[in-house]
Amino acid sequence: MSSDVGSALTPAEERALVVELAGLVVGDVKPAELEVFDDTVEEYFEDTETALRTSGRDESLGFGFEGLLLAPYVLAVAGPVIRYLAGVVSEAAQAEVRPRLVALLRRLFRTVAPPSDDAPVTLSPGQIQHVRDLVVRTAGDIQLDETRTRLLADAVAGQLIATG
């Protein structure tokens, strides 16, 4: 990324997008947890460290996230993912705007009509891998074990592939 896009989103916009992505991931991986999702979100943003520490990490668990509140971990990794995606979209928008700007200027000269279609933004396999790497690094920072980290990275990347 050539520019700092952290400021591209207001804190409220970033939080809303983090919550939206987290809700999608939780809904896919642990839909039953959606019943307490809103409360978990509030607790997470009030005291992130406590939310991560008390989400059931010390329980004896089977495979995956059974018995563990998934939402705090998804919320923790979603912030860096949203900031990265904001950069990807910002760069795509800048690239898209340049030709439109020229076309609109030419229209002022009455030489061409303005473009009318918006091309969808899609992520390349490399960008999806970058998202996975961000999730793995962030999950490591919050000391999530390796198995859950891989599951979380797959879930977040899978959501982006499904929607992209």
Side-chain angles (χ1 to χ4, degrees), residues 26-48:
V26 169
D28 282 348
V29 176
K30 260 184 105 178
E33 191 175 317
L34 289 175
E35 293 176 22
V36 296
F37 183 74
D38 291 338
D39 292 336
T40 305
V41 167
E42 290 307 314
E43 291 170 9
Y44 175 84
F45 284 109
E46 285 175 14
D47 188 351
T48 301

Side-chain angles (χ1 to χ4, degrees), residues 5-6 9 11 13-22 44-45 71-87 131 134-135 138 156:
V5 295
L9 299 171
E13 291 167 333
E14 182 177 320
R15 178 178 169 157
L17 290 167
V18 164
V19 170
E20 186 174 342
L21 176 58
Y44 175 84
F45 284 109
Y73 300 102
V74 180
L75 290 163
V77 302
V81 168
I82 292 299
R83 287 186 291 278
Y84 169 71
L85 293 176
V131 166
L134 272 172
V135 170
T138 305
V156 171

Side-chain angles (χ1 to χ4, degrees), residues 40-117:
T40 305
V41 167
E42 290 307 314
E43 291 170 9
Y44 175 84
F45 284 109
E46 285 175 14
D47 188 351
T48 301
E49 289 181 29
T50 299
L52 290 169
R53 192 172 51 250
T54 62
S55 66
R57 173 187 317 222
D58 296 329
E59 296 179 18
S60 175
L61 303 174
F63 178 75
F65 285 92
E66 294 85 2
L68 174 72
L69 279 178
L70 174 62
Y73 300 102
V74 180
L75 290 163
V77 302
V81 168
I82 292 299
R83 287 186 291 278
Y84 169 71
L85 293 176
V88 169
V89 172
S90 177
E91 286 181 2
Q94 288 174 8
E96 186 177 325
V97 166
R98 276 186 219 94
R100 285 180 175 221
L101 177 62
V102 171
L104 290 170
L105 287 170
R106 284 188 175 134
R107 182 156 187 241
L108 290 173
F109 307 149
R110 302 189 196 297
T111 59
V112 296
S116 61
D117 295 338

